[in-house]
Amino acid sequence: MPQNRPTLPESVDVPLRGAGWLPHGYHLDAHAHPHGQLVYAAAGVLATTTERGTWVAPANRVTWTPPGFAHSHRFYGRTDARILSVPAELCGELADQPHVFTVSPLLREALLVLTDRPETRPGAHGRLLAVVMDELSDTAEQSLHLPEPRDDRLRAVTDLLHADPARPATLAELGRAAGASERTLSRLFHAELGMSFHRWRTTLRVHHALAHLTNGLSVTDTALACGWSNPSSFIDAFTEVVGQTPGRYQAELRDST
């Protein structure tokens, strides 16, 4: 990611911004923008899907979608959705493909102000947008990205798991249903998706776990609903992917409401 700091004139336009509470399951169909877009779920969980897969952002992350990139959104739990567009001339400061970034306390406050307060002084929003860009330029990607395959055999397997993330089938068993060998599928997971079958399924399950936890399901019930045999193994996997325990994640959700 570029290391140069963005500089914005005081007159920079912040063309589209807004905030609103969305119900669980709310979906925005595929669309694209001439500008870049940051979407932040101050409460709840946001999933952004493109042809390259799905990015999930709980309340401690923000999604970035570059200009012209077709994408759809789905919201899990009652979601405090914050939408901020980034003028096209500034988008070169950020990645040219969708990303998910950790939200620092400063970034969170800037996003909240930009999306729900009117501009009280000329150029104030432009200056605050510069803070947002500066924070994002200094933030490593924290992507809960679930890539999607192109190969028909691999897609048959991932479709089965999307339909039932808790399905306990081995890759060999899934391969028999999809008409491909375990060895072939294992190779395709690494070649097309850049990860092992186990890693892909774990990420899929964590996506579903975030939605369950956001809706108030207990850690134990979430573990069982998403395919883990016990809460301990779920907590380990969730912490590795998300960066915090499921209990801590739920505590932060309660603190933010």
Side-chain angles (χ1 to χ4, degrees), residues 94-187:
L94 300 178
D96 60 1
Q97 61 181 343
H99 272 52
V100 174
F101 298 101
T102 296
V103 174
S104 67
L106 176 58
L107 179 56
R108 174 183 167 83
E109 292 307 312
L111 289 170
L112 295 181
V113 170
L114 278 170
T115 52
D116 68 5
R117 294 186 193 174
E119 188 172 54
T120 56
R121 289 179 295 166
H125 278 163
R127 292 188 294 273
L128 197 52
L129 179 59
V131 173
V132 170
M133 299 293 287
D134 194 54
E135 282 290 287
L136 291 173
S137 296
D138 253 352
T139 302
E141 182 186 8
Q142 294 289 330
S143 182
L144 293 172
H145 177 215
L146 189 72
E148 291 298 330
R150 297 179 301 275
D151 185 277
D152 290 340
R153 296 162 295 179
L154 196 55
R155 185 175 290 277
V157 169
T158 58
D159 284 348
L160 289 171
L161 294 173
H162 274 298
D164 181 11
R167 185 175 182 150
T170 65
L171 186 56
E173 291 167 340
L174 291 167
R176 284 194 288 273
S181 71
E182 178 181 11
R183 181 176 179 180
T184 296
L185 290 172
S186 180
R187 175 180 57 79

Side-chain angles (χ1 to χ4, degrees), residues 18 20-22 38-48 56-63 74-84 101 103 108 111-112 115 214 249 252-253 256:
W21 285 94
L22 299 175
L38 293 165
V39 183
Y40 173 52
V45 175
L46 160 69
T48 299
V56 169
N60 60 355
R61 288 179 169 86
V62 61
T63 68
R74 185 175 295 277
F75 299 86
Y76 297 93
R78 186 167 180 263
T79 303
D80 181 5
R82 307 301 181 110
I83 298 176
L84 177 66
F101 298 101
V103 174
R108 174 183 167 83
L111 289 170
L112 295 181
T115 52
T214 299
Y249 172 73
E252 288 186 359
L253 287 179
S256 67

Side-chain angles (χ1 to χ4, degrees), residues 4-15:
N4 294 331
R5 295 292 181 269
T7 56
L8 285 72
E10 291 194 3
S11 61
V12 68
D13 187 24
V14 186

